[in-house]
Amino acid sequence: MVLRLRPESQLDLEAAARWYESQEQGLGRLFLEQVRVTFHRIRSNPEAYSVG
């Protein structure tokens, strides 16, 4: 399964990562890693998640 993000969603993720990074060094990276883990779970079992 291919998971596609809209450009504005990608910008939101980048902005959130920058904000977390401004709060504590390394936190932005951890945030993005958790996003990647979640995306992997969605791709692995898309039926487990509702489409909003």
Side-chain angles (χ1 to χ4, degrees), residues 31-42:
F31 168 74
L32 290 175
E33 179 59 30
Q34 289 305 307
V35 170
R36 283 186 209 99
V37 167
T38 300
F39 286 170
H40 176 73
R41 287 180 183 154
I42 293 169

Side-chain angles (χ1 to χ4, degrees), residues 9-23 27-29 31-32 35:
S9 297
Q10 182 65 38
L11 291 174
D12 284 346
L13 281 174
E14 292 168 5
R18 284 192 302 274
W19 184 85
Y20 279 115
E21 194 64 28
S22 75
Q23 301 304 301
L27 203 53
R29 181 187 57 77
F31 168 74
L32 290 175
V35 170

